[in-house]
Amino acid sequence: MTKRIFRSILGVTLVVLAASLVLVTGVLHGYFEDQVGRELAARAAYIARGVEQSGTEYLKDLPGESRITWVDSDGTVLWDNQENPAAMDNHAQRQEIRQALLAGTGTAARYSDTLAQKTLYYALRLSDGSVVRVADTQYTVWAMVLQAAQPVALMMLLAAVLALALASRVSKQLVAPINQLDLDAPETAECYEELSPLLGKIRSQQRQIRRQMEDLRQRQEEFAALTETMSEGFVAVDQETRVLACNPAALRLLGAQAAPEGESVYALNREAPFRRCVEQALAGRRCEVLLESEDSCRQVIASPARREGQTAGAVLMVLDVTEKERRDALRREFTANVSHELKTPLTSILGTAEILKTGMVAPADVEHFAGNIHRQTQRLISLVNDIIRLSRLDEGGDLGPWESVDLHAAARRVLDRLTDAAQGKGVALTLTGGGAVVRSVPRIVEEILYNLCDNAVVYNHPGGSVTVTVENGSDGARVSVTDTGVGIPREAQSRVFERFYRVDKSHSGGGTGLGLSIVKHGAAYLGARVDLESREGRGSTFTVTFPPERDGTCVPDDSVVS
């Protein structure tokens, strides 16, 4: 704007200067022409008086500043101070001579293009009818300009420099108040009155923008508060896959370190299923995919975001379905295992019953076949009872009253129940330690101890031993069950608490595979912790640590749940 004002002022100044020069030159030229005309008239008057008195002698004595010509009434040149009268043409048709002969005086002006001069003539009629003519030359306007070219050029240069400086200063002064305007506070601005409507409109727009910005800020804060507390990931992208919004949960679930502001959503996750899901959503189709890794499973739900019927972007929801998928896998595995475990004894019972039904069994073998049905039925009942116990522990319902339980006495009762089984296998049972009382559910405590001790007997070597130790520790009462059996390989120790998992089915002894799972879930219900130490071929030690009493109840420890 400063440059435009500068150029405008400078241009106007130069145009005015040039016009003024032309006008002054024209006025001066006209003034000088009038002045010369008056001088010629005065000179012709006194020359006419001298000629009437002295004739040619008077003319000869005059100085030669102007051209003087004496013409007879018939146009013959009688005398001329610059030319030979005999060689001059008749002047009767000359404009000034003809006027003088008719009216007494005459004037004329003739131009010389070659000399760029104008000659002024004044003729005065004498009393005898002859005419005295006085002539003088005057430069034309262009001749005057050319003669004064150097001073005029210098004057124009000085004027141009002065105009340049003044234009620069004036333009800066004009623009300075505008440049000094504080648009953030236009009400305090002191500027040109012509700008008042503009400043008023700016103030109005600023108030509207402030209100809109405040509304947007509040909405953004509300949106951020909602999305940041979500456990589900939320990502909004535009049609070019640039991230518009992203909450911390999405970064965590997608394995990204920071939100890529203005970058592609593919910077969050570069897995092929994720890319295909985003592409389908941007193409206008809803898409769901699972992103699976060794320790997690995430579900991505991408939906297109439409504006005026066109897909303008996509909204992605990222859900952590690791636990759900694990539970579904465990449920499917449990169902398959239960079906298999139930099918085995039922098949045996059905086969034995069919043999008895055909009557092909000798009377002496009936007892054997009946015994087989009885064993398989007992196994089936035991399996069903274990499944029921495990289901109750999973549901976490009321499994009995909380009471003070003497762990030493409970362990003694369990070992008494296993005496016959231990003797049949030649395994020695030993109980050591003193009394330890905890606040717990007696029924669950005995189930935990029974399953641990039963496994210690079943998976032991003939002539081996099982030692149960009860003691009070700094972190609570502990019961340890140590055997000298086959032990558990290191790679299998993390899975022995799973339902129906057996390290070696050849050593199962007909068990259901649910004993350690019941131990794990029972300990979780009581808030206890189960630790395992085992070396293959050297035996195992299971330690159950009960928490200290807290207001008469035990607080469950989620860390024991796998």
Side-chain angles (χ1 to χ4, degrees):
M1 182 175 180
T2 304
K3 293 181 179 180
R4 293 186 62 183
I5 294 177
F6 170 76
R7 289 194 296 266
S8 299
I9 295 176
L10 181 61
V12 170
T13 303
L14 294 178
V15 169
V16 171
L17 181 63
S20 300
L21 179 63
V22 171
L23 180 62
V24 169
T25 302
V27 171
L28 289 177
H29 182 268
Y31 171 78
F32 289 144
E33 183 176 347
D34 293 341
Q35 184 68 22
V36 170
R38 287 192 294 271
E39 291 179 356
L40 289 176
R43 192 177 304 169
Y46 74 76
I47 290 174
R49 287 193 296 271
V51 170
E52 287 182 344
Q53 294 177 3
S54 303
T56 306
E57 296 299 327
Y58 175 77
L59 293 175
K60 292 179 180 180
D61 294 335
L62 289 177
E65 295 178 359
S66 301
R67 184 177 181 179
I68 302 172
T69 305
W70 187 16
V71 180
D72 197 0
S73 60
D74 60 358
T76 303
V77 178
L78 301 176
W79 189 85
D80 190 278
N81 63 347
Q82 292 183 1
E83 299 288 342
N84 182 9
M88 296 177 66
D89 296 334
N90 189 284
H91 281 36
Q93 299 302 319
R94 299 293 176 91
Q95 178 181 351
E96 67 277 10
I97 300 298
R98 190 170 60 252
Q99 290 177 359
L101 291 174
L102 294 175
T105 60
T107 59
R110 286 188 284 275
Y111 291 91
S112 173
D113 294 333
T114 302
L115 299 177
Q117 292 179 344
K118 181 171 69 173
T119 302
L120 300 178
Y121 297 92
Y122 185 85
L124 179 64
R125 188 181 61 190
L126 302 181
S127 56
D128 59 356
S130 63
V131 176
V132 174
R133 186 186 70 178
V134 181
D136 201 354
T137 59
Q138 182 186 21
Y139 288 106
T140 63
V141 174
W142 294 113
M144 292 177 63
V145 172
L146 290 175
Q147 286 183 353
Q150 184 174 358
V152 168
L154 181 60
M155 182 185 68
M156 290 290 292
L157 178 62
L158 293 176
V161 171
L162 180 61
L164 186 68
L166 291 177
S168 176
R169 182 179 180 84
V170 171
S171 62
K172 290 179 180 179
Q173 289 178 344
L174 289 174
V175 175
I178 301 176
N179 291 334
Q180 294 171 0
L181 285 176
D182 185 3
L183 296 181
D184 293 332
E187 63 277 358
T188 63
E190 294 182 3
C191 194
Y192 303 115
E193 183 179 354
E194 291 79 3
L195 294 179
S196 296
L198 175 62
L199 295 177
K201 190 170 184 179
I202 291 175
R203 285 194 295 270
S204 175
Q205 290 180 342
Q206 285 185 340
R207 286 194 295 268
Q208 183 178 358
I209 291 173
R210 280 195 292 268
R211 288 194 300 269
Q212 293 175 346
M213 291 295 293
E214 182 64 21
D215 292 341
L216 289 175
R217 185 186 63 79
Q218 291 180 357
R219 293 181 182 179
Q220 185 175 10
E221 289 178 354
E222 292 172 357
F223 178 79
L226 290 173
T227 56
E228 288 180 1
T229 57
M230 291 170 57
S231 58
E232 299 82 4
F234 173 85
V235 183
V237 299
D238 62 11
Q239 187 63 34
E240 285 72 34
T241 75
R242 289 190 295 264
V243 176
L244 302 177
C246 180
N247 69 342
L251 300 179
R252 174 176 53 82
L253 293 173
L254 294 175
Q257 299 296 326
E261 297 182 2
E263 297 182 16
S264 173
V265 70
Y266 300 138
L268 296 177
N269 189 283
R270 301 187 183 278
E271 298 181 39
F274 181 77
R275 294 179 64 91
R276 288 196 298 270
C277 189
V278 174
E279 290 171 358
Q280 288 190 25
L282 293 178
R285 300 185 300 273
R286 188 177 184 274
C287 179
E288 295 185 18
V289 295
L290 286 178
L291 304 179
E292 297 181 287
S293 61
E294 293 181 359
D295 57 351
S296 66
C297 183
R298 297 140 296 160
Q299 183 182 24
V300 178
I301 304 173
S303 301
R306 292 184 173 85
R307 180 187 302 165
E308 297 179 356
Q310 301 294 325
T311 301
V315 176
L316 282 66
M317 295 297 295
V318 187
L319 310 176
D320 186 356
V321 294
T322 305
E323 190 63 27
K324 176 179 178 296
E325 290 297 315
R326 286 178 179 173
R327 289 179 180 177
D328 289 344
L330 288 174
R331 187 179 297 109
R332 290 190 296 269
E333 183 180 359
F334 179 74
T335 301
N337 289 332
V338 166
S339 300
H340 175 74
E341 294 295 335
L342 290 175
K343 183 178 179 180
T344 300
L346 287 174
T347 301
S348 178
I349 293 171
L350 179 61
T352 304
E354 287 179 350
I355 294 174
L356 291 174
K357 180 180 178 181
T358 59
M360 297 173 60
V361 180
D365 295 331
V366 171
E367 183 178 355
H368 169 73
F369 282 99
N372 183 51
I373 293 175
H374 181 268
R375 286 191 303 274
Q376 295 300 330
T377 303
Q378 289 293 336
R379 181 182 176 188
L380 187 59
I381 292 173
S382 177
L383 177 62
V384 172
N385 287 336
D386 285 346
I387 293 174
I388 292 173
R389 291 191 191 97
L390 196 56
S391 298
R392 288 177 178 174
L393 291 172
D394 282 341
E395 293 171 359
D398 186 10
L399 300 177
W402 288 74
E403 301 175 2
S404 295
V405 179
D406 187 340
L407 296 179
H408 193 276
R412 171 54 61 191
R413 289 192 295 271
V414 169
L415 291 179
D416 289 342
R417 291 166 57 189
L418 292 171
T419 299
D420 292 340
Q423 289 177 351
K425 197 167 183 178
V427 175
L429 302 178
T430 304
L431 177 61
T432 63
V437 179
V438 296
R439 186 75 176 173
S440 189
V441 180
R443 177 182 173 184
I444 299 178
V445 171
E446 291 195 12
E447 285 183 355
I448 292 173
L449 295 178
Y450 180 85
N451 280 286
L452 291 177
C453 294
D454 182 53
N455 282 350
V457 172
V458 170
Y459 293 99
N460 216 318
H461 298 295
S465 64
V466 175
T467 302
V468 180
T469 303
V470 180
E471 59 184 344
N472 280 308
S474 58
D475 54 347
R478 291 195 298 267
V479 178
S480 300
V481 179
T482 304
D483 64 67
T484 58
V486 296
I488 303 172
R490 182 179 298 276
E491 63 273 10
Q493 292 180 14
S494 61
R495 298 195 59 191
V496 292
F497 293 100
E498 295 179 9
R499 297 176 174 93
F500 298 107
Y501 181 79
R502 297 190 184 96
V503 178
D504 187 355
K505 293 186 178 181
S506 64
H507 294 88
S508 65
T512 63
L514 295 174
L516 290 181
S517 184
I518 292 174
V519 170
K520 181 190 73 171
H521 287 78
Y525 181 82
L526 299 177
R529 185 180 73 251
V530 181
D531 298 309
L532 168 62
E533 293 181 7
S534 181
R535 295 179 63 186
E536 191 173 4
R538 298 289 185 87
S540 305
T541 297
F542 288 86
T543 302
V544 182
T545 304
F546 292 86
E549 293 186 16
R550 299 180 183 176
D551 300 330
T553 60
C554 292
V555 179
D557 184 3
D558 293 338
S559 64
V560 301
V561 180
S562 62

